Amino acid sequence: MTTALTKSEANLPVLYDPAEIKRLLFPRGTPQPTDEELALFVRACQAAELNPFNREIYLVKISENFPASIIPAALAWEQRADTFPEFDGYEAGIL
Protein backbone atom coordinates (compact mmCIF):
# COMPACT_ATOMS: atom_id res chain seq x y z
CA MET A 1 0.00 0.00 0.00
CA THR A 2 1.33 3.42 -0.92
CA THR A 3 0.03 6.75 0.24
CA ALA A 4 0.45 10.24 -1.18
CA LEU A 5 2.06 12.30 1.56
CA THR A 6 3.55 15.38 -0.05
CA LYS A 7 3.42 17.15 -3.37
CA SER A 8 6.40 17.59 -5.63
CA GLU A 9 7.36 20.82 -7.35
CA ALA A 10 5.24 19.73 -10.31
CA ASN A 11 2.25 19.52 -7.91
CA LEU A 12 2.03 15.75 -8.38
CA PRO A 13 1.57 13.39 -5.42
CA VAL A 14 4.70 11.70 -4.13
CA LEU A 15 3.95 8.16 -3.04
CA TYR A 16 5.49 6.62 0.08
CA ASP A 17 5.12 3.20 1.59
CA PRO A 18 3.98 3.24 5.27
CA ALA A 19 7.10 1.32 6.29
CA GLU A 20 9.24 3.96 4.56
CA ILE A 21 7.40 6.78 6.33
CA LYS A 22 7.95 5.08 9.69
CA ARG A 23 11.64 4.58 8.88
CA LEU A 24 12.09 8.24 7.92
CA LEU A 25 10.07 9.88 10.70
CA PHE A 26 10.49 7.55 13.69
CA PRO A 27 13.90 6.50 15.01
CA ARG A 28 14.48 2.88 15.93
CA GLY A 29 13.83 2.07 19.56
CA THR A 30 11.00 4.60 19.89
CA PRO A 31 7.30 3.68 20.05
CA GLN A 32 6.04 3.17 16.49
CA PRO A 33 2.60 4.36 15.38
CA THR A 34 0.11 1.84 14.11
CA ASP A 35 -0.79 1.78 10.42
CA GLU A 36 -4.17 3.34 11.28
CA GLU A 37 -2.51 6.20 13.19
CA LEU A 38 -0.11 6.72 10.31
CA ALA A 39 -2.98 6.80 7.79
CA LEU A 40 -4.80 9.38 9.93
CA PHE A 41 -1.59 11.44 10.11
CA VAL A 42 -1.16 11.33 6.32
CA ARG A 43 -4.76 12.50 5.84
CA ALA A 44 -4.21 15.33 8.36
CA CYS A 45 -1.06 16.38 6.48
CA GLN A 46 -2.98 16.44 3.21
CA ALA A 47 -5.97 18.30 4.64
CA ALA A 48 -3.83 20.99 6.30
CA GLU A 49 -1.29 21.05 3.46
CA LEU A 50 1.53 20.61 5.96
CA ASN A 51 4.73 18.67 5.27
CA PRO A 52 6.20 16.52 8.07
CA PHE A 53 9.55 16.40 6.27
CA ASN A 54 9.78 20.21 6.61
CA ARG A 55 8.89 19.91 10.33
CA GLU A 56 5.52 21.61 9.82
CA ILE A 57 3.56 18.84 11.56
CA TYR A 58 4.50 16.02 13.90
CA LEU A 59 3.14 12.61 14.85
CA VAL A 60 4.16 11.91 18.44
CA LYS A 61 3.85 8.46 19.99
CA ILE A 62 4.78 8.53 23.68
CA SER A 63 4.05 4.91 24.51
CA GLU A 64 2.65 1.80 22.88
CA ASN A 65 -0.16 2.01 25.47
CA PHE A 66 -1.40 5.43 24.35
CA PRO A 67 -2.64 6.72 20.98
CA ALA A 68 -0.39 8.92 18.86
CA SER A 69 -0.88 12.69 18.85
CA ILE A 70 -0.83 14.92 15.77
CA ILE A 71 0.84 18.24 16.56
CA PRO A 72 1.08 21.07 14.02
CA ALA A 73 4.14 23.30 14.42
CA ALA A 74 3.39 26.83 15.61
CA LEU A 75 5.70 28.26 12.96
CA ALA A 76 3.64 26.59 10.22
CA TRP A 77 0.49 28.36 11.41
CA GLU A 78 2.33 31.68 11.68
CA GLN A 79 3.62 31.31 8.13
CA ARG A 80 0.11 30.45 6.92
CA ALA A 81 -1.35 33.49 8.72
CA ASP A 82 1.22 35.74 7.04
CA THR A 83 -0.21 34.81 3.63
CA PHE A 84 -3.55 36.48 4.47
CA PRO A 85 -3.68 40.23 3.75
CA GLU A 86 -6.05 40.77 6.70
CA PHE A 87 -3.47 39.46 9.13
CA ASP A 88 -1.57 42.41 10.54
CA GLY A 89 0.63 40.48 12.92
CA TYR A 90 0.12 40.21 16.62
CA GLU A 91 1.46 41.98 19.64
CA ALA A 92 2.98 40.38 22.67
CA GLY A 93 3.98 42.09 25.82
CA ILE A 94 4.05 42.01 29.55
CA LEU A 95 0.68 42.21 31.27
Side-chain angles (χ1 to χ4, degrees):
M1 177 179 102
T2 58
T3 307
L5 183 62
T6 62
K7 292 188 177 182
S8 66
E9 291 178 19
N11 207 24
L12 298 173
V14 177
L15 301 178
Y16 291 97
D17 181 62
E20 184 180 6
I21 295 172
K22 287 181 184 180
R23 183 183 61 79
L24 292 171
L25 295 178
F26 301 96
R28 287 184 139 180
T30 61
Q32 299 292 306
T34 63
D35 288 342
E36 291 81 15
E37 291 170 333
L38 191 59
L40 180 63
F41 177 64
V42 168
R43 296 289 184 229
C45 291
Q46 291 171 332
E49 295 181 3
L50 296 174
N51 188 339
F53 299 109
N54 290 340
R55 307 290 187 216
E56 296 173 344
I57 190 167
Y58 300 93
L59 181 64
V60 178
K61 182 86 170 181
I62 303 296
S63 168
E64 297 294 337
N65 300 328
F66 296 101
S69 298
I70 298 172
I71 304 172
L75 183 60
W77 294 121
E78 289 176 19
Q79 290 172 344
R80 174 114 3 122
D82 285 338
T83 63
F84 288 91
E86 299 86 15
F87 180 70
D88 193 25
Y90 56 90
E91 295 181 17
I94 299 173
L95 296 178

